Amino acid sequence: MRDILSEDDPQVESVARLIARATPDIIALQGIDYDHDLMAARALVQRISAHGHDLPHVFALRPNTGMTTGLDLDGDGRKGRPRDAQGYGTFAGQGGMAVLSRFPVVTEDVRDFSDILWRDMPEALLRLEDGTPLLPDRVKKVQRLSTVGHWVVPVRIEDQTLRLLTFHASPPVFDGPEDRNGRRNHDEIVFWPKYLDGAFGDRPEPHFVLAGDANLDPVDGAGRKAAIRWLLADGRMTDPKPMRPAGVAQGDEHDGDPRLDTVDWPGPDPGSLRVSYVLPSADLEVLNAGIVTDGMNASVEDASRHGLVWVDLLLK
């Protein structure tokens, strides 16, 4: 909030300028801290407006990041530390999500799946290869699936409704040989095909767009690739394969097309990866797609290591 209100913070101004240049109708913004009255998100909207683009409708829910559990989840003998929260966070609401839109959000029809327990996910990867439980019972009783959240946010566009499915999955690293984070990342991504199957209630009506940070590349980097490959192959959605005008592969090994990479982490590992996705439902016509980068199609490091992934759609 302090940085946004200063109106001269380099990162904030780069973010606002980049979003204004992209002129999105709806954006699933990742990594913005949550506060109850959405003061920070609304202040950011004002900075975007100052750079020439209005997004008057703001929506966010409390994320799982930094949400206390009262348990020692990481087994270090201490409670109340960042790794003991539902999602990693040094304070409640750190690194949440927000939806910014030119069109009104139908708040009464929002569906929030962020409180679903990991153990209640169908076919959850909660057992090791030898059958040993990944989590002790005391943890399974409280551990949520979502690191940040899983939301279905309806947006009213004239006489039609577009449902935005958004999430931000855990990075599949920073753990041990049990691969706790890798397993959670897998199940957070697989949640969406299960949701489309009806595993969590009514299926979404047309039209919808899945947009978020899966923290998983289908080819390169760490993680259980089957999850994101399953999602990208789901015939109920289209993968427009947004590309940046130029891509430079970072890392010792890079097998995917670097033009698809949405983030540039320092090399050689993990380097450049495709981790952010915008996947429209198959009933929507894709007109164009790409990745906005700052400056002359170079790095977006002033705003974020992550590029802004965009897709132009035609509502039929």
Side-chain angles (χ1 to χ4, degrees):
M1 187 69 177
R2 177 202 63 205
D3 295 342
I4 294 171
L5 292 178
S6 74
E7 299 187 7
D8 63 2
D9 181 86
Q11 184 182 25
V12 171
E13 293 307 298
S14 292
V15 167
R17 184 171 56 249
L18 189 148
I19 292 175
R21 192 174 75 209
T23 64
D25 292 311
I26 305 168
I27 181 169
L29 188 64
Q30 308 292 315
I32 182 170
D33 298 339
Y34 171 83
D35 62 81
H36 184 269
D37 295 318
L38 309 187
M39 294 174 65
R42 296 185 192 281
L44 178 61
V45 163
Q46 291 179 359
R47 296 309 307 146
I48 297 170
S49 180
H51 286 282
H53 185 61
D54 293 328
L55 294 166
H57 302 282
V58 181
F59 176 84
L61 296 170
R62 182 184 178 184
N64 287 340
T65 45
M67 183 182 293
T68 182
T69 63
L71 298 176
D72 173 19
L73 294 188
D74 63 357
D76 68 352
R78 300 181 181 182
K79 300 178 182 179
R81 297 169 70 84
R83 296 184 187 277
D84 299 322
Q86 289 288 359
Y88 182 92
T90 58
F91 58 87
Q94 182 178 12
M97 307 186 295
V99 176
L100 314 180
S101 175
R102 286 185 54 227
F103 304 100
V105 173
V106 188
T107 54
E108 63 270 23
D109 292 338
V110 168
R111 302 186 69 185
D112 181 14
F113 297 100
S114 307
D115 61 352
I116 289 177
L117 297 180
W118 192 355
R119 69 179 183 180
D120 293 333
M121 170 73 182
E123 301 175 281
L125 300 184
L126 287 175
R127 288 193 175 273
L128 305 183
E129 281 68 18
D130 62 2
T132 304
L134 176 68
L135 306 175
D137 287 341
R138 62 182 178 82
V139 174
K140 283 197 294 186
K141 291 178 181 178
V142 302
Q143 179 66 77
R144 297 181 175 190
L145 170 67
S146 303
T147 301
V148 181
H150 283 79
W151 308 342
V152 178
V153 183
V155 178
R156 192 69 179 167
I157 304 174
E158 297 180 353
D159 61 344
Q160 299 193 64
T161 299
L162 179 73
R163 287 167 175 80
L164 177 68
L165 285 52
T166 189
F167 76 123
H168 193 143
S170 178
V173 289
F174 310 122
D175 53 18
E178 81 291 342
D179 195 26
R180 184 185 190 280
N181 291 341
R183 293 169 183 273
R184 189 178 187 184
N185 172 275
H186 173 282
D187 287 350
E188 288 182 274
I189 295 169
V190 170
F191 169 88
W192 292 116
K194 299 288 186 182
Y195 168 63
L196 296 178
D197 289 341
F200 300 98
D202 294 339
R203 299 177 177 89
E205 299 176 16
H207 310 281
F208 67 86
V209 176
L210 173 58
D213 187 345
N215 256 320
L216 191 63
D217 186 297
V219 179
D220 298 299
R224 295 173 177 254
K225 306 300 186 185
I228 194 63
R229 291 173 181 171
W230 182 359
L231 190 68
L232 294 176
D234 192 312
R236 292 167 291 192
M237 293 172 283
T238 301
D239 178 11
K241 296 185 177 179
M243 293 186 178
R244 49 187 177 182
V248 180
Q250 298 184 38
D252 292 335
E253 298 182 1
H254 195 292
D255 296 322
D257 186 339
R259 295 175 299 171
L260 294 171
D261 292 341
T262 64
V263 62
D264 292 317
W265 279 304
D269 187 29
S272 300
L273 297 173
R274 185 187 187 194
V275 299
S276 297
Y277 299 87
V278 178
L279 307 176
S281 55
D283 53 16
L284 290 168
E285 182 179 346
V286 176
L287 301 179
N288 207 349
I291 303 171
V292 175
T293 55
D294 209 2
M296 298 300 293
N297 301 322
S299 168
V300 294
E301 61 185 8
D302 285 346
S304 170
R305 292 190 179 102
H306 297 264
L308 190 155
V309 182
W310 60 271
V311 177
D312 276 345
L313 301 171
L314 178 64
L315 287 177
K316 299 179 180 179

